[in-house]
Amino acid sequence: MGSLELTFDAVNEPAPGPKWAARWQRSWPAYEAWFVGRGGDHGPSRKDCRAALQRHMPELVGVYDRLVAIAGGSDRAARFLSTWCPPTYLGGCSLAALAQGNDVRLVRNYDLSPELNEGLLLRSEWSGRAVMGMVEFLWGLSDGINDAGLSIALAYGGRSETSEGFGITTILRYVLETCTSVDQAVTVLDRVPSHMAYNLVLADASGATAGIEMLPGGGARRMPKAIATNHQSGPERADRPAFTRSFERHAHLSGMRTSPRNLHRQFLARPLIQDRYSEGFGTLFTAEYDPKARSLGLTICDERWDQALDAFVEGQRRVDYAHKDAHPVAVKYLGADHTGPDWSLAATIDWKAVARDYANGCGRDIASYLPGKTRAA
């Protein structure tokens, strides 16, 4: 299997420039292989992608155009960066937000393979508003906070159904670039379509919190509690619930009794913490957002790394999750009616080999790189 090492970088770049360009050069080969291998070249045209961004999130178009230019301006890069109707992607994660009196926190566990996370904490001011968060797809966010104290985080909604919409990480970026409160954010989430099912938790400096279920193709359901794992409240069946333990984690979050200040402690213990790194489902970090302080505390393998929007310090942390892995043998969870690839083994794919194959014009469907698959003759 691949490496269980991950480097986290804290980067401060107010406007897209050389630091973002360096990140693009480093990450694009693997992303390009994924994009092509999952059928991205057969998606919407470059013109349609930009038009969708202009229609739904016009405030991001200027930043998008600049990023495309820095990335070299290719048709494929432009369509990838738009995240309009992208290929499917999955994940894990547990989320909760809690407010009591004058205190509020949003906490998330990010559960995935170390090979599939960018490890980038970026502070930016792309639209004039300071935003700090964990980057996905080179400019989207899996979680973050802005200078108004609005914070947000995502979790996979538990099913791979897709429809017309944006990648959720771009929607989170848009929320933090344009909104100052939970109520404003919920209005945006009602309007901007997501291409897959995702669960979101939000909190702001006033103490408002919300749990939102994003539906494929558009629509958002507001939930009674600001908690989320990897299934939704509708009749749709969740993918691999036994593997993700989504219902167990959700029940724990629903029944926990704690304070905002101690909420993060719940996420550092079972059943929320995950250690199945060799199976592609380990907790890479726990993020604790304090909307009033505009701060973030990252816990990575028991070590705390604190940052704040007005006191951001660039730095780097290198982590080897191998010693944290309690289950070295991958466990396949396949439902009785499962006939597709076992994507729980995605962490074992040699992504460098994928990139080489596509660069040489002999790339195959990504599923064929899973263990047990053989190269077509």
Side-chain angles (χ1 to χ4, degrees), residues 332-356:
K332 297 181 181 180
Y333 173 76
L334 301 178
D337 58 349
H338 181 90
T339 58
D342 180 9
W343 291 109
S344 70
L345 299 178
T348 64
I349 292 176
D350 184 346
W351 290 99
K352 291 182 180 178
V354 175
R356 284 196 302 270

Side-chain angles (χ1 to χ4, degrees), residues 18-104:
K19 294 178 183 179
W20 190 88
R23 200 75 187 193
W24 171 266
Q25 293 298 325
R26 168 178 150 182
S27 302
W28 175 233
Y31 269 127
E32 184 176 26
W34 167 83
F35 187 76
V36 174
R38 300 302 295 272
D41 281 350
H42 304 294
S45 69
R46 177 177 186 163
K47 179 180 178 181
D48 288 344
C49 287
R50 190 180 185 280
L53 201 64
Q54 179 68 56
R55 182 166 64 253
H56 294 285
M57 298 185 283
E59 296 91 337
L60 288 187
V61 171
V63 173
Y64 165 77
D65 287 343
R66 181 166 184 174
L67 294 176
V68 170
I70 293 173
S74 74
D75 181 78
R76 184 176 290 158
R79 288 184 292 116
F80 168 82
L81 286 169
S82 78
T83 72
W84 176 244
C85 301
T88 58
Y89 49 84
L90 312 178
C93 310
S94 301
L95 319 171
L98 182 62
Q100 288 179 0
N102 199 39
D103 206 6
V104 59

Side-chain angles (χ1 to χ4, degrees), residues 212-353:
I212 302 292
E213 293 183 349
M214 300 290 287
L215 309 179
R221 289 192 292 245
R222 190 156 186 170
M223 304 307 295
K225 292 186 176 182
I227 60 174
T229 53
N230 305 126
H231 63 275
Q232 295 192 328
S233 61
E236 301 85 3
R237 179 181 175 184
D239 297 337
R240 306 179 300 141
F243 176 79
T244 65
R245 300 170 185 166
S246 180
F247 290 93
E248 177 188 359
R249 289 183 284 120
H250 194 277
H252 178 83
L253 290 171
S254 183
M256 67 183 176
R257 299 292 181 267
T258 189
S259 65
R261 192 173 300 273
N262 291 318
L263 177 60
H264 73 284
R265 299 181 185 276
Q266 296 283 332
F267 285 76
L268 301 178
R270 296 182 186 277
L272 301 184
I273 197 81
Q274 305 298 315
D275 58 9
R276 292 171 289 155
Y277 297 97
S278 63
E279 300 172 46
F281 200 74
T283 299
L284 303 185
F285 61 84
T286 300
E288 179 190 22
Y289 287 94
D290 182 340
K292 291 184 179 294
R294 279 67 165 172
S295 66
L296 162 65
L298 283 179
T299 300
I300 307 170
C301 284
D302 303 323
E303 293 188 5
R304 176 91 171 190
W305 192 7
D306 289 299
Q307 294 280 9
L309 272 170
D310 61 358
F312 191 91
V313 179
E314 293 191 322
Q316 188 175 84
R317 301 287 189 276
R318 292 187 176 91
V319 185
D320 185 353
Y321 295 95
H323 72 284
K324 302 282 289 184
D325 196 346
H327 301 272
V329 178
V331 176
K332 297 181 181 180
Y333 173 76
L334 301 178
D337 58 349
H338 181 90
T339 58
D342 180 9
W343 291 109
S344 70
L345 299 178
T348 64
I349 292 176
D350 184 346
W351 290 99
K352 291 182 180 178

Side-chain angles (χ1 to χ4, degrees), residues 9-14 106 120-126 129-136 139-153 172-173 175-177 285 287-291 293-298 305-314:
D9 295 300
V11 175
N12 185 6
E13 188 172 51
L106 184 154
L120 175 59
L121 171 61
L122 177 66
R123 185 194 183 280
S124 62
E125 298 178 21
W126 289 351
R129 178 179 299 284
V131 174
M132 171 177 66
M134 301 301 294
V135 171
E136 297 274 355
W139 73 303
L141 296 167
S142 65
D143 50 83
I145 190 168
N146 67 19
D147 57 12
L150 176 64
S151 58
I152 187 170
L172 263 64
R173 165 66 69 180
V175 164
L176 292 182
E177 295 287 346
F285 61 84
E288 179 190 22
Y289 287 94
D290 182 340
R294 279 67 165 172
S295 66
L296 162 65
L298 283 179
W305 192 7
D306 289 299
Q307 294 280 9
L309 272 170
D310 61 358
F312 191 91
V313 179
E314 293 191 322

